[in-house]
Amino acid sequence: MNIAQPSGQCFALVTETYPPQINGVSNTLGKLCEGLLGRNHRVQLIRPAQPGEKPGSTQSGNLLERCVRGLPIPGYPGLQWGLPAARKLKSLWSRQRPDAVYLATEGPLGWSALRLARRMKIPVISGFHTNFQQYSNHFHLGLFHEPALRYLRWFHNQTRQTLVASSTQQRELNRLGVQNLSLLGRGVDCTHFHPTHRSSSLRKQWGANSDDIVLLHVGRLSPEKNPELLIDSWSKLRAAQQAKGTRLHMVIVGDGPSARELRKRMPDAVFTGALTGNALACAYASADIFVFPSLTETFGNVVTEAMASGLAVCAFDTAAAHQHIQDRYSGCLAPPSHDQLFTDNLSWLVQDAEGRRSIRLHARHRACQLDWQAIVQRFERCLLQAALGQSIPVQAVPSK
């Protein structure tokens, strides 16, 4: 079925995080918002005020930003829960009624937006961007696991449709009782993340010669990202390869609550802190192997960024890696929680230079098929079909 795509629709995006904050949700929301504006829609961006900002509204062209008050999220410095804002949203939506609302996060701000939109009979769709229900065990909040799961299930089942990033997440949420799931996927900027950004001078700063092998990890340094396996696999690999005369280097990009512990237990690794822009692109391209032990990703944008940069990815067979990597062809995959196979895969990538070279080429080729424009078009289609009251399945994300 085809639907008309009128220009000038008004869509409200409600999110707890947005650029310049550094995380996958922020990056995705920035791309989706930019894409809607580029397709001549009006966007109301509703989010907590970031450090240095004051609550209030600002208008720039077709973008209206409404910043509300927030509270810090425990364990996530720099991120905030948006406080409930039903009164302010009702005032805004009474004057400028959106055609559809997209809820990217499920905190108090998203909850208040959901309740108000339903009362005002504004169509609502949601996105599942963060596995908060899995984080409870890592932050010693196991008692909250079941209540969090029940809340997330209730929240998303109140919306017309929930958009997910990967097929593994879609299956897991379906098993947990979340209904009306659609696969949206994620894109990657293959011009920004490109092998030509490789820098010999940066490698020298890391202490690596041209023939050395540089392992890279990019991401939040936090308990839910499985840092123990990063430490363990690096320790085993480095000891084994030193005996063979192979010079290895580990570079860790990012920050978070586990940073101090990682620095203590990996004193020979290079820690850069969080990087963005050209500095991040150069860091990716100047490495050789991407090490990603996380098991809690809804997608993992860093995986496709590494692939676009021409790296051989070592990851678990879930989220973005499951969606876009073929084992021993465009990366290396281990079944979830099979730590020894993860470490064995990493060892194989280090030892087999020809296999690693082939994987890097195929990884780049696969990443170049993941265009953000196609993702934005799917997202726009979901909002339009919600606004028009039509039920149209989202086009499947191309498989690996």
Side-chain angles (χ1 to χ4, degrees):
M1 180 189 300
N2 294 321
I3 61 174
Q5 298 197 9
S7 62
Q9 297 288 294
C10 179
F11 300 125
L13 308 184
V14 182
T15 177
E16 241 83 25
T17 181
Y18 195 74
Q21 293 172 329
I22 304 172
N23 59 73
V25 184
S26 169
N27 176 64
T28 298
L29 264 292
K31 293 291 187 183
L32 294 177
C33 182
E34 178 185 323
L36 290 177
L37 292 170
R39 296 176 71 80
N40 299 316
H41 296 292
R42 289 169 290 136
V43 176
Q44 298 173 357
L45 178 64
I46 299 152
R47 60 175 179 81
Q50 297 182 10
E53 293 182 320
K54 293 183 178 180
S57 297
T58 58
Q59 182 85 44
S60 177
N62 281 338
L63 175 63
L64 170 67
E65 290 194 64
R66 184 66 172 92
C67 295
V68 302
R69 297 186 183 278
L71 290 175
I73 300 177
Y76 288 80
L79 296 183
Q80 299 187 79
W81 294 113
L83 294 176
R87 183 178 300 177
K88 293 180 175 63
L89 289 179
K90 184 176 182 180
S91 176
L92 171 62
W93 289 350
S94 296
R95 299 191 313 270
Q96 303 177 44
R97 181 184 177 91
D99 296 292
V101 175
Y102 177 70
L103 304 177
T105 48
E106 306 93 343
L109 174 60
W111 171 82
S112 66
L114 172 62
R115 286 172 57 88
L116 176 63
R118 287 176 61 84
R119 284 202 302 268
M120 296 181 68
K121 301 188 184 304
I122 302 172
V124 183
I125 65 174
S126 60
F128 200 95
H129 290 270
T130 306
N131 285 320
F132 282 117
Q133 80 284 3
Q134 293 184 11
Y135 290 7
S136 57
N137 292 330
H138 296 285
F139 287 97
H140 309 292
L141 299 172
L143 291 175
F144 293 94
H145 177 83
E146 285 302 322
L149 183 58
R150 287 196 296 270
Y151 170 72
L152 291 173
R153 181 167 51 232
W154 171 85
F155 182 95
H156 288 283
N157 285 345
Q158 298 299 304
T159 70
R160 291 173 54 94
Q161 188 178 42
T162 296
L163 307 182
V164 299
S166 66
S167 57
T168 54
Q169 183 191 47
Q170 187 175 25
R171 288 193 292 271
E172 175 65 11
L173 291 179
N174 183 68
R175 184 183 68 82
L176 296 176
V178 180
Q179 303 166 1
N180 302 319
L181 297 163
S182 294
L183 194 58
L184 179 64
R186 297 289 183 269
V188 63
D189 186 342
C190 285
T191 300
H192 179 66
F193 297 106
H194 197 287
T196 56
H197 297 308
R198 191 174 182 88
S199 169
S200 58
S201 62
L202 180 58
R203 286 175 63 90
K204 287 180 181 178
Q205 291 179 33
W206 294 340
N209 297 322
S210 58
D211 293 334
D212 296 352
I213 298 175
V214 175
L215 280 62
L216 177 72
H217 174 77
V218 178
R220 179 172 171 76
L221 307 182
S222 189
E224 77 275 9
K225 301 295 185 178
N226 202 12
E228 285 295 328
L229 182 55
L230 183 66
I231 296 168
D232 184 62
S233 60
W234 168 242
S235 176
K236 291 177 180 178
L237 184 67
R238 187 168 183 270
Q241 296 305 315
Q242 277 186 328
K244 299 178 181 179
T246 304
R247 283 174 52 88
L248 296 181
H249 305 267
M250 171 66 79
V251 177
I252 297 179
V253 175
D255 204 352
S258 297
R260 180 178 296 182
E261 181 69 12
L262 283 166
R263 289 175 183 269
K264 178 181 177 181
R265 296 176 62 183
M266 302 175 73
D268 49 353
V270 175
F271 288 82
T272 70
L275 297 177
T276 60
N278 291 335
L280 177 59
C282 286
Y284 274 121
S286 301
D288 303 292
I289 299 171
F290 187 69
V291 189
F292 195 64
S294 177
L295 284 163
T296 59
E297 302 302 310
T298 57
F299 186 73
N301 292 332
V302 292
V303 169
T304 51
E305 290 170 359
M307 293 172 68
S309 303
L311 299 192
V313 174
C314 181
F316 285 111
D317 190 10
T318 186
H322 173 83
Q323 195 78 35
H324 301 301
I325 290 176
Q326 290 185 18
D327 188 34
R328 300 292 175 103
Y329 179 77
S330 51
C332 281
L333 301 176
S337 299
H338 282 59
D339 292 1
Q340 185 57 55
L341 183 53
F342 180 95
T343 302
D344 291 345
N345 283 341
L346 190 55
S347 179
W348 177 80
L349 284 171
V350 167
Q351 295 177 49
D352 193 328
E354 183 58 30
R356 186 172 66 250
R357 186 194 70 83
S358 177
I359 280 177
R360 294 178 66 174
L361 291 172
H362 289 126
R364 168 69 186 175
H365 176 74
R366 173 57 183 154
C368 287
Q369 301 172 37
L370 308 178
D371 182 22
W372 267 114
Q373 183 177 355
I375 303 300
V376 169
Q377 289 174 352
R378 293 189 193 111
F379 183 59
E380 177 196 44
R381 187 173 181 82
C382 290
L383 289 168
L384 286 171
Q385 65 96 6
L388 298 175
Q390 298 181 359
S391 179
I392 300 175
V394 179
Q395 178 183 352
V397 175
S399 66
K400 57 186 177 181

